[in-house]
Amino acid sequence: MKKGFKMNTYKFIRRIKMDELKYTICFIKRGDEILLLNREKSSWMGSWNGVGGKFQKGETPSDCILREVYEETSIKLNDVQFKGVVTWNVDGSRNGGMYLFMQEVPHDFDYKVPIKMREGILDWKKVEWIMHPENTGVAHNLPKYLPKMLSEDGIFQYHCIFKDDVLLEVKIRELNSEYKEGYTC
């Protein structure tokens, strides 16, 4: 069974279709902090993660994330930086994915937290806290892709493999020009 599990995962990675991703996520960075949301709803209920959500009909990925950031934080961003995609395979059969964005704000950007919003509680968290190996309060895959997303200019796919709600591995690959050109704002 494990061999078939790996094979299905490989096939999905090779066949990613950017227009089939249904979600977006954004990380707003201020110095050495990132604005995270402790979600009150699934997925990742009770875990700190970026802000984002599902597409509405006719939206581009950028339209979607700019709307979601505003709805979830009341922060009006003018643009965001496309950083790639996070995809997943759960129990060898369910696949999904989301567009990944980041936006840096000035060190003196004034946003008072913690603040309770409709989706959960927002707070600035230090990158060091997010990445701490004993931190079980963040989305399990976040520490696996956040460092590369923050430190490199490339556009990457972070493919997460879950089995029985446990993150087994994250495969990272740079997206080639075919995928970069396939992304439109």
Side-chain angles (χ1 to χ4, degrees), residues 4-62:
F5 178 71
K6 292 281 187 190
M7 190 151 187
N8 288 340
T9 302
Y10 175 75
K11 286 179 184 176
F12 181 69
I13 291 173
R14 301 302 299 164
R15 291 182 176 172
I16 181 175
K17 294 182 180 176
M18 299 293 265
D19 60 345
E20 292 179 359
L21 303 181
K22 297 178 182 178
Y23 305 96
T24 59
I25 192 166
C26 184
F27 295 92
I28 300 170
K29 184 176 185 287
R30 181 180 74 179
D32 65 345
E33 300 175 309
I34 296 180
L35 185 64
L36 294 181
L37 176 67
N38 191 297
R39 297 198 171 277
E40 289 191 358
K41 301 176 183 175
S42 59
S43 65
W44 298 113
M45 184 186 315
S47 296
W48 293 97
N49 205 353
V51 297
K54 288 184 180 181
F55 282 91
Q56 290 181 354
K57 186 174 177 136
E59 281 185 320
T60 65
S62 291

Side-chain angles (χ1 to χ4, degrees), residues 18 59-63 82 99 101 179-185:
M18 299 293 265
E59 281 185 320
T60 65
S62 291
D63 292 339
F82 178 56
Y99 292 88
F101 295 93
Y179 292 112
K180 292 176 189 176
E181 293 166 8
Y183 168 74
T184 57
C185 291

Side-chain angles (χ1 to χ4, degrees), residues 10-172:
Y10 175 75
K11 286 179 184 176
F12 181 69
I13 291 173
R14 301 302 299 164
R15 291 182 176 172
I16 181 175
K17 294 182 180 176
M18 299 293 265
D19 60 345
E20 292 179 359
L21 303 181
K22 297 178 182 178
Y23 305 96
T24 59
I25 192 166
C26 184
F27 295 92
I28 300 170
K29 184 176 185 287
R30 181 180 74 179
D32 65 345
E33 300 175 309
I34 296 180
L35 185 64
L36 294 181
L37 176 67
N38 191 297
R39 297 198 171 277
E40 289 191 358
K41 301 176 183 175
S42 59
S43 65
W44 298 113
M45 184 186 315
S47 296
W48 293 97
N49 205 353
V51 297
K54 288 184 180 181
F55 282 91
Q56 290 181 354
K57 186 174 177 136
E59 281 185 320
T60 65
S62 291
D63 292 339
C64 177
I65 198 58
L66 292 173
R67 175 185 53 77
E68 287 285 350
V69 166
Y70 183 71
E71 286 178 3
E72 293 186 6
T73 68
S74 298
I75 296 172
K76 181 83 169 141
L77 295 176
N78 294 321
D79 60 0
V80 287
Q81 182 182 4
F82 178 56
K83 298 297 285 183
V85 295
V86 177
T87 57
W88 54 84
N89 178 275
V90 179
D91 296 329
S93 61
R94 292 180 311 176
N95 298 318
M98 59 189 172
Y99 292 88
L100 177 62
F101 295 93
M102 187 180 88
Q103 183 60 40
E104 275 198 69
V105 295
H107 291 297
D108 61 352
F109 181 77
D110 188 30
Y111 190 75
K112 302 281 188 237
V113 293
I115 184 170
K116 171 73 172 83
M117 302 295 275
R118 184 179 54 123
E119 299 284 331
I121 299 169
L122 290 162
D123 200 1
W124 292 106
K125 299 293 185 184
K126 295 226 179 262
V127 172
E128 180 181 325
W129 179 86
I130 297 167
M131 298 305 302
H132 195 283
E134 294 179 21
N135 186 348
T136 60
V138 296
H140 302 146
N141 55 353
L142 182 55
K144 303 295 186 189
Y145 65 83
L146 188 65
K148 191 172 206 68
M149 183 195 78
L150 293 175
S151 66
E152 295 194 24
D153 290 330
I155 297 173
F156 295 89
Q157 177 187 9
Y158 305 91
H159 185 70
C160 306
I161 302 165
F162 292 91
K163 180 82 171 149
D164 299 324
D165 292 326
V166 174
L167 178 63
L168 299 179
E169 69 178 307
V170 176
K171 295 181 179 186
I172 301 172

